[in-house]
Amino acid sequence: MGKRVVALVVAGVVGTAGVAWGVRDEVVLPRARRGVVVLPHRKHVEQWGVRCEQCHHNIVMIRQGQTDCKGCHMNTVHEGLCHDCHLSNREDGYAKKYTALKKKLGVQKIPTLFKAFHGLCRSCHAEVNKKEGRKAPYECGGCHKG
């Protein structure tokens, strides 16, 4: 029984460290049309209580029924980057890549990178500003720098 308790404690510590490891201070989004976006990632998680799954969805995780970020970070499954699936319609060969990706993922539609970020970020910021009276950036210059 003592070994079982120790194993559970170790698993809990390792699991917590794995999640903490995945939280970067900042995430830089250099592909933005209106200038780079620097997302204060750690603040979103620790200060403002944004849960991982509110922003990060992963086709592999969803198909496996996982909604816990440890599913990727602890098992070192490739989580992918937003632009791996949410393509920019300004890049060469967009139509061909888009059609192939929809077929591969078995989906009808995938928002462009622009629509995915703006839909996610702006809708959340608008909701937070309305409900909590915060000043989360909503206009272009609030997130895009340069």
Side-chain angles (χ1 to χ4, degrees):
M1 179 123 161
K3 288 181 184 180
R4 182 181 252 171
V5 171
V6 169
L8 288 172
V9 170
V10 168
V13 169
V14 169
T16 303
V19 173
W21 166 80
V23 179
R24 296 187 216 156
D25 289 336
E26 292 181 336
V27 174
V28 179
L29 308 170
R31 292 184 175 204
R33 291 181 207 170
R34 291 185 175 248
V36 70
V37 173
V38 178
L39 173 80
H41 190 250
R42 187 171 298 278
K43 282 185 179 180
H44 274 81
V45 175
E46 293 177 0
Q47 190 173 342
W48 302 316
V50 177
R51 295 181 324 276
C52 301
E53 67 272 10
Q54 287 178 266
C55 300
H56 298 280
H57 66 106
N58 178 280
I59 299 299
V60 174
M61 287 175 66
I62 291 168
R63 288 200 174 148
Q64 292 174 353
Q66 297 177 5
T67 56
D68 184 359
C69 50
K70 289 182 285 190
C72 280
H73 291 292
M74 294 307 295
N75 296 320
T76 64
V77 172
H78 176 63
E79 188 175 340
L81 300 171
C82 305
H83 62 266
D84 288 346
C85 293
H86 297 285
L87 307 173
S88 169
N89 58 359
R90 295 171 13 144
E91 67 184 70
D92 291 335
Y94 166 76
K96 188 175 181 179
K97 290 178 188 176
Y98 179 73
T99 301
L101 188 59
K102 286 193 314 182
K103 184 176 181 180
K104 177 183 174 185
L105 298 176
V107 296
Q108 297 281 328
K109 188 176 180 182
I110 305 168
T112 63
L113 190 61
F114 174 86
K115 286 184 179 181
F117 273 118
H118 288 87
L120 177 67
C121 302
R122 291 185 81 214
S123 64
C124 185
H125 286 187
E127 185 179 325
V128 165
N129 289 343
K130 184 177 179 182
K131 281 185 179 178
E132 301 175 21
R134 282 202 229 148
K135 300 278 188 199
Y138 188 80
E139 299 301 324
C140 303
C143 297
H144 294 270
K145 307 298 179 198

